[in-house]
Amino acid sequence: MKSILLIGLGRFGRHAAQKLDELGHQVMAVDKVEERVNDVLSYVTNAQIGDSTNPDFLEALGVDNFDVCIVAIGDDFQSSLETTSLLKELGAQFVVSRAARDVHRKFLLRNGADEVVYPEKQLASWTAIRYSSDHIFDYIELNEDYAIFEIPIPNSWVGKTIGEIDIRNKYHINIMAVKTGKKMNLTIRSDTRLSADQTMLVLGNNRDIQKCFR
């Protein structure tokens, strides 16, 4: 369990608060709009109404006591930038800031953000890859070059074992897990046999995966 300071309670911040609550973390939520704060009271440990660009207000929160500070402000980049910078000045251990544009990401990283999330761009990328292909059921980007894909078992692989396919040496791809319905098998061995009713999670370079399963 971690202690998390969540600043900005628009749609992104509200969803983040809900998920953090599901994961069992302690969350202090902050927004300058009272209605937004009231909307997340059932999901968070504590909440404050205030302006995160005010150094006195932010310092009073004890930002250095939180494991992670998330700046989820999406509709006012100036406030997001000032908040990110102030958090670091006040000793925040780890700051994650939300960006809406590439240029925002650069400025946030230069002004104190340890990590930057770009939800619109990331979701757009996921949507484009997921729905432009018939053979991808899910997709998790790890960086610009590598990702995890959930794909069906190719017809030519049905009935064969992992060792017989030799996917790692032939295609430079790793099979991380095999799914049968909702059941996940994470114990993948060379004698694991594949069937037509399964899907598999594969890890590798995007180009290698696309080439192998196009």
Side-chain angles (χ1 to χ4, degrees):
M1 180 178 67
K2 290 188 175 183
S3 59
I4 297 173
L5 175 62
L6 176 61
I7 300 174
L9 300 173
R11 284 174 295 181
F12 177 76
R14 185 169 66 252
H15 288 307
Q18 291 174 324
K19 190 61 180 180
L20 289 167
D21 177 58
E22 290 176 13
L23 295 172
H25 298 296
Q26 293 184 335
V27 180
M28 162 73 83
V30 173
D31 199 288
K32 60 184 179 182
V33 179
E34 182 177 0
E35 183 180 357
R36 290 181 175 181
V37 173
N38 291 335
D39 287 342
V40 301
L41 287 177
S42 59
Y43 309 123
V44 300
T45 310
N46 203 347
Q48 293 284 338
I49 302 168
D51 183 358
S52 60
T53 65
N54 183 321
D56 294 332
F57 170 75
L58 212 55
E59 184 174 15
L61 297 176
V63 299
D64 57 329
N65 294 318
F66 293 93
D67 297 309
V68 181
C69 296
I70 301 175
V71 182
I73 300 170
D75 54 357
D76 185 344
F77 177 65
Q78 184 64 33
S79 293
S80 177
L81 187 63
E82 290 182 26
T83 299
T84 298
S85 180
L86 281 172
L87 285 169
K88 269 304 179 181
E89 289 178 14
L90 294 170
Q93 298 179 41
F94 194 84
V95 179
V96 180
S97 298
R98 176 189 178 186
R101 297 167 56 190
D102 288 333
V103 68
H104 291 174
R105 179 178 182 276
K106 293 178 181 178
F107 277 107
L108 289 166
L109 288 171
R110 290 174 183 172
N111 286 272
D114 296 289
E115 294 284 351
V116 173
V117 294
Y118 199 159
E120 289 85 1
K121 183 177 182 179
Q122 290 162 345
L123 181 57
S125 177
W126 181 90
T127 302
I129 292 173
R130 167 65 180 85
Y131 292 105
S132 65
S133 174
D134 295 330
H135 64 267
I136 296 175
F137 294 146
D138 205 353
Y139 161 80
I140 302 172
E141 183 179 284
L142 302 179
N143 60 30
E144 292 183 357
D145 298 317
Y146 288 87
I148 298 173
F149 290 79
E150 181 182 353
I151 59 174
I153 306 299
N155 291 333
S156 60
W157 293 10
V158 172
K160 295 182 179 180
T161 66
I162 301 296
E164 290 171 336
I165 298 167
D166 198 19
I167 184 173
R168 181 179 297 176
N169 291 325
K170 288 183 178 179
Y171 305 104
H172 312 294
I173 295 169
N174 292 299
I175 298 179
M176 308 296 293
V178 174
K179 288 177 64 178
T180 306
K182 294 184 178 180
K183 186 177 180 181
M184 182 89 72
N185 176 16
L186 298 172
T187 308
I188 303 300
R189 303 181 304 186
S190 61
D191 61 352
T192 298
R193 194 171 298 277
L194 303 174
S195 61
D197 63 338
Q198 296 175 323
T199 61
M200 58 184 177
L201 273 64
V202 297
L203 167 65
N205 182 279
N206 294 329
R207 291 183 178 179
D208 289 336
I209 292 175
Q210 294 283 3
K211 181 179 180 180
C212 180
F213 301 107
R214 65 178 183 273

